[in-house]
Amino acid sequence: MKPLLRALVALSMLAAIGPVPSALAQENGVLTTEREKIGYMVGMDVGRSIAPAAPDLDRAAFERAVRNAFSGGQPLLTEEEAKAVAPALMQRIALRNGQPVPGLAPGVEPPAVPKDKVGFLVGADAGRSLAPIRDELDVRVFMQGVADVLDGRKLQLTDQEADALRQSFSARVRTKLQAEAAAAGRKNASEGAAFLARNKATKGVFTTPSGLQYMVLRQGAGPRPRPDANVRVHYHGTLLDGTVFDSSYDRGQPAEFGLDKVIAGWTEGLGLMPVGAKYRFWVPSELAYGDRAGMGPIGPNSTLVFDVELLQIL
């Protein structure tokens, strides 16, 4: 699923986290341009999705977090703060809805939550979900749509108008994103092929018949895993430009998985390693995610780089 669809689908999932209002909302704005109508329509969708959290949410903080996510800023809430706020918010939403409150004894009130932190939490999620279409949105009008829904005001688009706009907008942006993905895929494939051709001549680099390249950083003395083995590893994964997309080292916890459940480059590469070894792998896109986008910043046809330690065969 491409970014636009992920963004629009994510709107319907935000109810589990919370709501939003806006200091810039106009009481009786008039939608005159297509861009304004799109922004308002998306605001309606988000407002309906986050309504369960509205009583606990500061709208100015929500808007600040959305704008911050759109600009690629650092999170306004630390991971520790988010981990503390999210469960308390879920408990408060469940209690208001007359549902069993997870992790709370009957008759016990859930803890209060700082409204600005709830706004930062919910706004960050909304902003990240909508980031792929941020250039299509007028944030002021988007916030007006959110506010009109949360405040129960008369909406400036009927449901029928919003549905028609949503469908045409989705189709248009999907076409645009598909074209951008195809161009990125061609660029990544060309850059990856050129890099692997150069890297092949580097001292200490070996190339397998499939095109996988590897270097022994530390040799091991244990057995080698079979293609269907389960293993425990530490690893660090980057793009060719050094962008980190995944790292068990950063998480401080080794990973465990079956070699028949991962990309082909890993299945082959780990099979070359004795327990205790540490290798570096350069994985061509056809042994990774191919023309599909992978996790995080992995674009179509990306060549991936991994440093891998094989700790144990399980």
Side-chain angles (χ1 to χ4, degrees):
M1 190 184 301
K2 298 304 180 184
L4 168 69
L5 296 184
R6 287 200 297 268
L8 294 182
V9 169
L11 296 178
S12 65
M13 300 172 63
L14 290 173
I17 307 175
V20 155
S22 170
L24 296 179
Q26 301 177 27
E27 196 65 34
N28 294 299
V30 177
L31 306 177
T32 57
T33 68
E34 186 78 0
R35 179 182 173 84
E36 289 175 344
K37 291 177 182 178
I38 290 169
Y40 189 85
M41 175 270 294
V42 175
M44 288 170 55
D45 288 346
V46 171
R48 287 166 173 160
S49 296
I50 66 175
D56 295 304
L57 178 144
D58 179 83
R59 298 187 183 187
F62 172 86
E63 180 174 346
R64 181 183 168 194
V66 169
R67 291 182 181 274
N68 180 68
F70 282 6
S71 66
Q74 292 298 312
L76 302 176
L77 209 61
T78 67
E79 287 188 21
E80 291 73 20
E81 289 173 322
K83 289 177 180 177
V85 171
L89 177 61
M90 293 298 294
Q91 290 175 340
R92 296 177 67 82
I93 292 173
L95 186 66
R96 281 196 294 270
N97 291 340
Q99 300 169 343
V101 180
L104 206 64
V108 177
E109 288 289 322
V113 288
K115 290 190 174 184
D116 60 338
K117 292 185 178 180
V118 173
F120 290 152
L121 177 69
V122 178
D125 281 350
R128 284 192 297 265
S129 296
L130 296 170
I133 57 172
R134 62 184 178 274
D135 293 338
E136 304 284 342
L137 301 179
D138 181 317
V139 177
R140 177 185 60 81
V141 180
F142 161 78
M143 292 302 300
Q144 177 67 57
V146 171
D148 285 353
V149 168
L150 295 183
D151 293 339
R153 291 197 286 263
K154 179 178 174 60
L155 300 178
Q156 298 181 42
L157 293 173
T158 66
D159 286 344
Q160 293 76 14
E161 289 171 334
D163 286 343
L165 188 61
R166 189 180 299 109
Q167 291 177 17
S168 63
F169 175 58
S170 297
R172 174 168 62 80
V173 179
R174 181 169 56 247
T175 299
K176 175 185 175 183
L177 293 178
Q178 287 172 343
E180 291 176 350
R186 291 190 295 270
K187 179 175 182 289
N188 290 337
S190 175
E191 291 178 349
F195 173 85
L196 293 171
R198 295 192 304 271
N199 198 52
K200 188 175 184 178
T202 302
K203 183 179 179 180
V205 172
F206 301 89
T207 303
T208 71
S210 71
L212 176 70
Q213 295 184 355
Y214 69 95
M215 174 183 287
V216 178
L217 303 179
R218 183 184 69 235
Q219 191 56 278
R224 290 178 171 84
R226 295 169 57 88
D228 59 351
N230 292 318
V231 297
R232 177 179 290 118
V233 302
H234 252 319
Y235 66 93
H236 185 74
T238 71
L239 303 179
L240 290 178
D241 65 3
T243 299
V244 178
F245 57 81
D246 194 17
S247 175
S248 66
Y249 291 109
D250 291 349
R251 293 192 296 273
Q253 181 66 41
E256 298 179 1
F257 50 80
L259 289 184
D260 56 353
K261 302 294 193 299
V262 293
I263 59 175
W266 268 62
T267 304
E268 179 183 359
L270 269 290
L272 301 171
M273 300 178 66
V275 171
K278 183 175 183 178
Y279 282 21
R280 178 167 297 159
F281 296 110
W282 293 271
V283 183
S285 63
E286 59 269 23
L287 299 179
Y289 296 99
D291 60 5
R292 298 175 293 113
M295 68 180 71
I298 299 176
N301 297 331
S302 291
T303 296
L304 308 181
V305 185
F306 291 97
D307 284 359
V308 184
E309 285 186 90
L310 179 55
L311 304 176
Q312 185 180 359
I313 300 174
L314 303 176

